[in-house]
Amino acid sequence: MENKTWRCSSDGKDNIITELKDIGGLPLAIAMYLASRGITVKTQKRYFEGGFADLSDPFRFTGMENAVKRLWKAIRNREYILIHGDYDTDGITATALLSSILEHNGGLVYTFLPHRFDDGYGFTPESLTKALETLPAYTPSGFTPESLNKALENVPDRKCGVLVTVDCGINSTEAVQEARKMGIDVIITDHHEPADALPEALAVLNPKIYPEDLEDLVHLSGVGVAFKLAHAFILYGRMLNIGGFETDIQDVLDYVALGTVADIVPLLGENRILVRCGMETLKSQIRPGVCALIEHAHVGPVLQPSDITFKLAPRLNAAGRLGNASSALELMKETSIVDAQKQADRLEDFNKERQEKEQEIFAQAKCEVESDPDYKNRMSIIAAGENWHQGVIGIVASRFARDYNRPAIVLTIIGDEAHGSGRSVGSLNLIRILSKCSHLLTRYGGHPMAVGLGLPKDKIQDFKDEFERCVREEATPADLISHINYDGSILFHNLNDQFFAQYSKLGPFGHSNPAPLFLIQGVDIFRLYPIKPVHTKGVFMDAHGDTFDFIAFNRKMSQDFRWDVLVEPQINEFNGKRQLFVKDCKPVERIR
């Protein structure tokens, strides 16, 4: 296995480490970990103890009061409220969260998730029309057709009065204009990058619009912004004594944890608090749908954010990738255990099909990429194929970005048009890079790290050349060298009872808040245990003669050498014992 460059994240932060140790009273290894993440003595308490009460005031969002006031008015006047979501886990959970809160407080809510292939991405005039066409036959949750008619017998005009977008809409100027012409008030909740001109909606809730005022919230996911709206809605209802008293807003934090972790936003600040609280709600499995999803995903005894990333989110996403995302939404809101199992079975089938298509396309794309004799010298990867499944090209792009450590775009050619999905590496901003290539594109958008795009088929080669040129302008070869960041250099005695007493408070671990990783130099393999030939399991001994159990997957380590190792301290979830998980290793001296 090829070794990567190692970088110490706490280099140059000796003063912070010293303060965290001497004033904060923390063990050295914990102080290194916190310093690596920019945590100081002043902020360590909130980092360790931050809970639901520490969440920021949702009314800091400009337009929030207008939004919640209009929603309560719609409930009072028995107007329909349309929630327009998106087909990934973030959009699905945001739709489930907001619809659940509004329904619980008397809202006549109906939902619409666009079909990836039939409708494309986002809130558009076409998706607006399609969503409104479903209204006459729609019976909101908690009603039967008969009870709905009875509830609305004195309402003369059964129409959609309010439309709320979740995880989309920030650049949907035309669709908002169309809705306004129909007399529909639009509330946009989104977290994607805004264009220069904002839609003329009743309220536009996106922390990226006001980065100075909402600096601590700019990394919220789509479901995170939807939660802010839901939270403000409940607070407003209680403040004016009009409702919300029987709603525990913390009950929907499982949705927030699922969507936030799945969307790979930084688990720092408010996101970290939301996911920490949400993981507790998620572990309680109060929803039959969540319970069935966890069961089908074969999650271990201790649910972790990594289970969302690698087991739960792929199953929810599979519905939108291959079928209709409504299947996943129905599972998230299902109240029947029996029906939840059926829905989870359906997602399992989608996921297996997704895996097969992904493997097939990745193999074809890899052949295409590596057929270029100069591909190792390129700083970007672009692969294109006829009629590759649109639902999995994003995953294939992710695999290329991960395996080759290059920004990657995968295109599927359908007729005269190429539809693409891209993933970035390091700090390269794909949105900025694509803006320089926009003269070749028919559309593009997304995040700095993940984008969607379209272009004419006959422009693919020009785009490959232009994209490579723009990547070279933005990055240097050193930026694309695969590396591992670690928190500091320690010895085994630093991983003592004090360290593990604080360890459980460091999570949840995820994007931008990885688990502790330390360099330990010059260790010997004191003992080896029988295990599969491709792995190594045993006991390390450091320079002071202290020992520690370790396991190294897909690495064959010999007792003939002394090693420098990057290790992640862990508590084994099966037996409760402390161990080191070897992330990387380098032989430094032959001793036998």
Side-chain angles (χ1 to χ4, degrees):
M1 181 176 292
E2 182 182 355
N3 287 319
K4 301 180 179 181
T5 300
W6 297 355
R7 299 178 184 174
C8 181
S9 301
S10 61
D11 277 352
K13 299 179 179 179
D14 292 347
N15 290 340
I16 298 175
I17 294 171
T18 300
E19 287 182 355
L20 287 166
K21 281 177 56 194
D22 296 346
I23 301 174
L26 297 174
L28 173 64
I30 296 293
M32 288 177 168
Y33 176 85
L34 295 184
S36 296
R37 284 145 186 76
I39 307 301
T40 65
V41 170
K42 292 181 179 179
T43 58
Q44 74 174 86
K45 182 176 180 181
R46 188 172 190 267
Y47 182 88
F48 280 122
E49 301 176 11
F52 186 81
D54 296 291
L55 294 176
S56 63
D57 180 2
F59 288 99
R60 291 171 59 203
F61 282 79
T62 300
M64 183 65 82
E65 185 170 349
N66 288 340
V68 297
K69 186 184 298 184
R70 183 64 183 91
L71 289 171
W72 278 111
K73 179 182 177 182
I75 290 173
R76 184 176 65 249
N77 294 343
R78 311 303 285 161
E79 299 173 84
Y80 279 102
I81 301 170
L82 167 62
I83 298 176
H84 187 299
D86 186 28
Y87 41 65
D88 67 359
T89 297
D90 192 19
I92 292 164
T93 52
T95 303
L97 183 154
L98 195 55
S99 62
S100 296
I101 292 294
L102 295 177
E103 287 165 358
H104 194 251
N105 287 276
L108 297 177
V109 182
Y110 70 110
T111 59
F112 176 80
L113 299 181
H115 191 286
R116 183 184 289 265
F117 313 124
D118 296 343
D119 306 313
Y121 169 77
F123 176 44
T124 64
E126 293 75 21
S127 68
L128 171 64
T129 300
K130 186 172 180 179
L132 294 176
E133 287 174 351
T134 67
L135 177 57
Y138 194 88
T139 302
S141 178
F143 288 90
T144 64
E146 294 75 19
S147 65
L148 180 64
N149 287 330
K150 184 175 179 63
L152 297 179
E153 59 188 359
N154 295 319
V155 180
D157 188 10
R158 301 185 188 184
K159 68 172 188 176
C160 175
V162 183
L163 186 152
V164 186
T165 70
V166 292
D167 195 32
C168 64
I170 190 60
N171 297 316
S172 301
T173 303
E174 287 185 53
V176 172
Q177 288 177 344
E178 288 298 312
R180 290 184 65 192
K181 289 178 185 177
M182 300 176 190
I184 300 172
D185 290 321
V186 180
I187 299 167
I188 291 174
T189 74
D190 200 355
H191 71 128
H192 293 93
E193 297 290 336
D196 294 334
L198 297 176
E200 296 179 359
L202 174 73
V204 181
L205 309 176
N206 184 336
K208 289 186 173 66
I209 297 174
Y210 307 103
E212 291 86 12
D213 297 331
L214 300 174
E215 182 181 4
D216 55 322
L217 302 178
V218 293
H219 295 304
L220 284 176
S221 60
V223 70
V225 181
F227 173 79
K228 285 297 187 182
L229 174 59
H231 194 190
F233 171 81
I234 296 301
L235 292 176
Y236 188 85
R238 292 176 180 177
M239 182 172 60
L240 295 189
N241 203 32
I242 56 177
F245 298 103
E246 297 181 0
T247 302
D248 185 348
I249 193 70
Q250 295 190 58
D251 283 348
V252 295
L253 286 175
D254 53 345
Y255 290 138
V256 183
L258 282 167
T260 299
V261 174
D263 219 49
I264 318 180
V265 293
L267 294 192
L268 299 171
E270 192 129 325
N271 279 343
R272 184 166 169 270
I273 294 175
L274 287 168
V275 172
R276 171 187 279 175
C277 297
M279 289 301 295
E280 294 306 311
T281 306
L282 193 60
K283 289 172 185 175
S284 69
Q285 300 183 33
I286 58 176
R287 300 180 206 285
V290 170
C291 184
L293 180 65
I294 290 173
E295 180 182 330
H296 278 69
H298 303 293
V299 173
V302 181
L303 182 65
Q304 302 288 349
S306 58
D307 293 316
I308 296 176
T309 304
F310 298 110
K311 295 180 179 180
L312 304 184
R315 286 166 169 79
L316 292 172
N317 283 334
R321 291 187 185 282
L322 299 183
N324 190 329
S326 295
S327 301
L329 178 60
E330 290 168 12
L331 176 65
M332 287 293 92
K333 297 192 67 179
E334 186 57 67
T335 58
S336 162
I337 295 176
V338 174
D339 290 340
Q341 291 292 335
K342 294 177 182 177
Q343 294 285 0
D345 283 339
R346 193 175 181 191
L347 293 194
E348 194 68 22
D349 292 339
F350 281 140
N351 193 47
K352 289 176 182 176
E353 184 181 353
R354 185 270 304 170
Q355 290 172 326
E356 292 170 0
K357 291 183 180 297
E358 173 196 338
Q359 195 59 39
E360 176 186 344
I361 293 172
F362 180 75
Q364 295 175 18
K366 185 177 182 181
C367 286
E368 183 202 327
V369 169
E370 295 187 355
S371 66
D372 178 357
D374 196 44
Y375 86 92
K376 289 186 178 180
N377 296 320
R378 294 180 65 86
M379 294 179 68
S380 66
I381 290 174
I382 295 182
E386 295 279 350
N387 297 308
W388 284 347
H389 199 289
Q390 277 184 264
V392 300
I393 57 174
I395 308 175
V396 175
S398 294
R399 288 184 63 176
F400 274 117
R402 181 193 67 211
D403 294 351
Y404 292 76
N405 203 54
R406 299 286 186 272
I409 290 177
V410 178
L411 300 165
T412 177
I413 302 167
I414 302 175
D416 294 328
E417 183 78 6
H419 306 273
S421 188
R423 298 294 184 270
S424 193
V425 295
S427 60
L428 285 176
N429 187 324
L430 276 188
I431 291 291
R432 186 164 62 239
I433 292 171
L434 289 184
S435 70
K436 296 181 178 182
C437 310
S438 59
H439 57 286
L440 297 171
L441 305 176
T442 55
R443 62 177 178 84
Y444 73 94
H447 308 285
M449 299 300 293
V451 296
L453 64 149
L455 69 157
K457 174 183 177 180
D458 58 9
K459 298 291 185 183
I460 291 177
Q461 187 57 52
D462 291 341
F463 175 63
K464 283 184 177 182
D465 297 338
E466 186 74 356
F467 186 75
E468 173 72 12
R469 184 185 68 78
C470 292
V471 168
R472 288 182 176 273
E473 285 180 358
E474 293 285 330
T476 65
D479 292 325
L480 301 181
I481 294 175
S482 184
H483 67 274
I484 302 177
N485 290 325
Y486 65 94
D487 295 305
S489 179
I490 62 171
L491 290 166
F492 288 154
H493 73 261
N494 297 122
L495 302 178
N496 51 22
D497 291 344
Q498 279 185 298
F499 171 83
F500 281 98
Q502 302 285 352
Y503 178 85
S504 62
K505 301 177 184 178
L506 301 179
F509 302 126
H511 180 52
S512 296
N513 190 49
L517 186 66
F518 299 107
L519 169 64
I520 302 179
Q521 296 175 296
V523 299
D524 296 335
I525 299 178
F526 178 66
R527 184 179 296 124
L528 284 176
Y529 299 129
I531 197 171
K532 291 182 179 179
V534 293
H535 311 311
T536 309
K537 180 180 175 66
V539 179
F540 281 143
M541 177 184 291
D542 69 10
H544 287 208
D546 295 321
T547 59
F548 221 112
D549 289 353
F550 78 91
I551 187 164
F553 291 112
N554 298 311
R555 297 181 186 279
K556 190 63 179 172
M557 300 177 68
S558 167
Q559 289 181 293
D560 295 338
F561 291 91
R562 183 162 289 135
W563 299 82
D564 286 350
V565 291
L566 289 183
V567 295
E568 185 180 304
Q570 295 178 338
I571 299 175
N572 190 300
E573 64 183 41
F574 294 102
N575 58 29
K577 292 184 179 180
R578 299 169 184 177
Q579 67 178 17
L580 301 176
F581 173 57
V582 178
K583 298 282 283 191
D584 204 1
C585 57
K586 297 177 181 177
V588 292
E589 180 184 357
R590 177 178 284 275
I591 58 177
R592 294 185 184 178

